[in-house]
Amino acid sequence: MALSLYNTLTRRKELFEPFDRTKIGMYVCGPTVYDLAHIGNARPIVVFDVLYRLLRRIYGEGAVTYVRNITDVDDKINAAAKISGEPIASITALTTEAFHADIAELNALPPDVEPRATEHIAEMIEMIEALITSEHAYAADGHVLFHVPSFPEYGKLSHRDRDEMISGARIEVAPYKRDPADFVLWKPSDLSLPGWNSPWGRGRPGWHIECSAMSRKHLGTTIDIHGGGSDLIFPHHENEVAQSECSCPGHPFARYWMHNGFLSVNGEKMSKSLGNFITIRQALGRAPGEVLRLMMLSTHYRHPLNWTESGLKQAQTRLDRLYRLLQKSGARVPDGNAVGLDDGFVGALQDDLNTPLALAELERQADELMSADARGREQKRVRLLASAGILGILQQDPEAWFKGGETAEDVSHIEAKIERRLEARQAKDFALADNIRESLAENGIILEDRPDGTTDWRRTV
Ligand code: AMP
Ligand code: ZN
């Protein structure tokens, strides 16, 4: 079975055929770094990380180039600096560092290239100049604007008509605009704002041109896959198409456009502007990153995902069970790349990244592992781990998993209590033994007595 992906451009699932299977380019819009990322922002990180892992598995690690940018020049950053009084450079540096630390906890592989907008101003200016030369853009009042009517295909990605686009973009009607739909490529900066010298005076880029310039620089004129959250389809991605295709006619910008659905809380989409967000950091205080990751993957990426405590608990239970089966099945065999994958599992992922089904297939593999004989077990275990590796879960030693999150001090405290309980049991003081078990349970520590007389423990959410 071959990989098929839903393409926002054609609005159907299509067979994925890379332009060159030895050089696959994938671009995903990264964060604007002015504040901690929330768990909605984590969704595209996790979804496209699974796609990246799958592509590397199918085409080879060296064949895929994943580019995810950092937007470090933006009016939201300028506004945050004004409010806090912090210098812009320190806000963007600290936020970028926090972002990296947070998503590492979610087991996201680093992209191959992580370009920063401020390091690509020359490429943006060059692209804007090409757009002016070909009369797709014009300078007016220190601004440069893309002239939307110059590109008749405008709207082909978001499938919107002109009126919808104008109202949807909530574009300000400025006197220097030739058409209300025209959007900014470059804008003037006074000395209080970040700015670069350009043919149009000191200024800064608009957000959309940043991604067009960075993806061309690192992936060439046509990329295979472009991704992001569904809120970016319009205007951001529509504008990227216009800029990229008009500055290099005859070259389609992206061949497959993929968009994840939104994460919501209590039925409302999670966003910074609504103020209903949970940062990745806060979420990590409630559950390990791997649990958050499994929770995200238990809904198909195109569907809305509702964040609930019970969803989190369910994810923890599923992951605990998988680690428990792994623990019972014997020693860890690390190298999963050498084996073929399970057909059911890979078939689910190849069907437009059906991760909920892939997780169910993974659980089936884990159950089969338990019922296999000693000889079959080894191979099934390697296969299971290889599959789980594509989802980015189950790669820790089970012992470490169940004891994860505890400090050495916690562990010795818990183990001392377990020891006291054992002594109480040996002295037939079952009331005391039960008391100790209950007090540990109140603190989220579950005990499991083993046939050999020892006691195992693990933490629940
Ligand atoms: P931003 O920093 O707001 O530009 O967002 C970074 C990425 O997170 C973009 O791909 C957005 O589409 C995505 N995103 C933002 N909020 C959510 C959400 N609630 N659910 C899913 N994706 C989101
Ligand atoms: Zn972008």
Side-chain angles (χ1 to χ4, degrees):
M1 197 176 152
L3 175 61
S4 61
L5 299 171
Y6 181 87
N7 189 349
T8 308
L9 190 64
T10 55
R11 286 176 151 171
R12 48 187 180 79
K13 237 192 262 183
E14 290 175 2
L15 196 63
F16 175 67
E17 288 175 297
F19 191 68
D20 173 352
R21 50 185 299 132
T22 66
K23 251 168 85 185
I24 297 165
M26 167 163 129
Y27 186 95
V28 174
C29 297
T32 304
V33 282
Y34 65 100
D35 201 358
L36 289 177
H38 60 68
I39 48 174
N41 300 134
R43 195 173 188 196
I45 301 294
V46 170
V47 163
F48 291 104
D49 182 62
V50 171
L51 178 61
Y52 179 46
R53 288 170 186 258
L54 179 65
L55 292 171
R56 280 156 65 99
R57 173 80 199 198
I58 299 174
Y59 297 98
E61 290 190 1
V64 190
T65 307
Y66 176 19
V67 180
R68 190 185 61 219
N69 71 292
I70 298 276
T71 294
D72 59 354
V73 47
D74 188 276
D75 289 350
K76 286 191 215 124
I77 305 174
N78 303 339
K82 210 166 183 176
I83 292 168
S84 70
E86 294 286 317
I88 286 177
S90 86
I91 293 182
T92 56
L94 289 175
T95 312
T96 304
E97 204 181 298
F99 172 72
H100 284 154
D102 289 350
I103 64 167
E105 292 286 323
L106 300 173
N107 288 351
L109 297 175
D112 297 285
V113 191
E114 194 174 48
R116 285 165 166 73
T118 50
E119 292 168 6
H120 294 75
I121 303 291
E123 287 82 358
M124 296 174 205
I125 292 178
E126 193 184 317
M127 194 176 257
I128 297 172
E129 282 183 311
L131 290 169
I132 294 177
T133 307
S134 56
E135 296 183 357
H136 287 291
Y138 57 94
D141 237 9
H143 293 72
V144 182
L145 291 118
F146 185 92
H147 191 43
V148 168
S150 76
F151 184 46
E153 290 171 52
Y154 191 83
K156 69 179 172 181
L157 176 67
S158 55
H159 307 276
R160 292 179 185 218
D161 67 28
R162 194 180 147 80
D163 289 344
E164 279 175 304
M165 284 189 287
I166 291 173
S167 60
R170 279 183 252 119
I171 331 175
E172 54 176 307
V173 183
Y176 47 80
K177 279 189 183 176
R178 287 190 195 157
D179 185 276
D182 292 355
F183 60 88
V184 167
L185 301 173
W186 188 263
K187 51 189 155 189
S189 290
D190 64 28
L191 288 174
S192 73
L193 290 171
W196 290 263
N197 291 329
S198 80
W200 319 286
R202 185 174 182 278
R204 61 194 192 282
W207 170 38
H208 317 303
I209 197 75
E210 298 179 5
C211 287
S212 282
M214 287 185 276
S215 70
R216 179 173 302 167
K217 164 91 188 264
H218 298 285
L219 294 169
T221 47
T222 299
I223 57 185
D224 287 298
I225 299 173
H226 194 317
S230 55
D231 59 324
L232 300 187
I233 300 173
F234 188 83
H236 185 52
H237 289 164
E238 192 71 63
N239 292 354
E240 282 186 36
V241 174
Q243 298 160 155
S244 295
E245 297 192 354
C246 292
S247 59
C248 197
H251 295 266
F253 173 41
R255 303 173 62 241
Y256 300 84
W257 282 92
M258 293 177 68
H259 294 98
N260 63 271
F262 255 57
L263 186 143
S264 57
V265 245
N266 303 325
E268 231 184 10
K269 81 178 195 184
M270 182 173 290
S271 77
K272 292 204 177 131
S273 52
L274 290 172
N276 62 347
F277 60 91
I278 302 168
T279 61
I280 301 177
R281 225 149 251 213
Q282 287 168 328
L284 286 170
R286 291 193 209 163
E290 206 169 315
V291 169
L292 301 177
R293 186 172 171 111
L294 189 143
M295 194 229 22
M296 295 214 176
L297 297 178
S298 44
T299 298
H300 188 264
Y301 77 93
R302 286 199 284 123
H303 294 169
L305 170 61
N306 201 19
W307 169 270
T308 59
E309 282 296 322
S310 66
L312 202 61
K313 284 219 166 81
Q314 235 170 50
Q316 174 92 46
T317 305
R318 287 178 90 177
L319 203 53
D320 279 348
R321 183 170 172 272
L322 284 166
Y323 269 116
R324 177 73 57 207
L325 293 179
L326 209 56
Q327 191 176 39
K328 286 187 177 150
S329 76
R332 180 160 159 53
V333 189
D335 187 14
N337 278 333
V339 294
L341 290 171
D342 176 89
D343 286 344
F345 173 84
V346 89
L349 275 189
Q350 287 191 321
D351 183 13
D352 192 30
L353 293 191
N354 190 339
T355 55
L357 184 58
L359 277 168
E361 293 284 341
L362 196 73
E363 286 167 331
R364 180 206 24 93
Q365 283 186 74
D367 292 336
E368 283 174 14
L369 171 68
M370 297 319 290
S371 52
D373 60 21
R375 263 186 47 229
R377 216 172 238 210
E378 176 92 354
Q379 200 207 19
K380 284 192 188 303
R381 197 166 197 285
V382 183
R383 275 189 186 224
L384 172 72
L385 286 171
S387 302
I390 296 183
L391 297 178
I393 58 170
L394 224 56
Q395 303 300 298
Q396 296 185 42
D397 187 329
E399 298 295 326
W401 170 253
F402 288 114
K403 296 196 168 44
E406 311 299 335
T407 61
E409 203 182 327
D410 287 340
V411 170
S412 69
H413 179 71
I414 294 163
E415 288 179 350
K417 283 199 161 184
I418 293 175
E419 189 64 28
R420 283 224 312 280
R421 175 170 166 268
L422 200 66
E423 285 164 12
R425 277 162 57 117
Q426 279 161 357
K428 304 230 178 310
D429 187 350
F430 296 112
L432 176 62
D434 285 349
N435 260 341
I436 296 173
R437 173 193 279 275
E438 276 160 27
S439 87
L440 283 168
E442 275 166 20
N443 291 304
I445 306 294
I446 303 296
L447 303 185
E448 197 173 293
D449 294 318
R450 298 168 68 104
D452 64 2
T454 59
T455 300
D456 236 355
W457 63 270
R458 68 191 159 88
R459 182 174 279 290
T460 58
V461 176

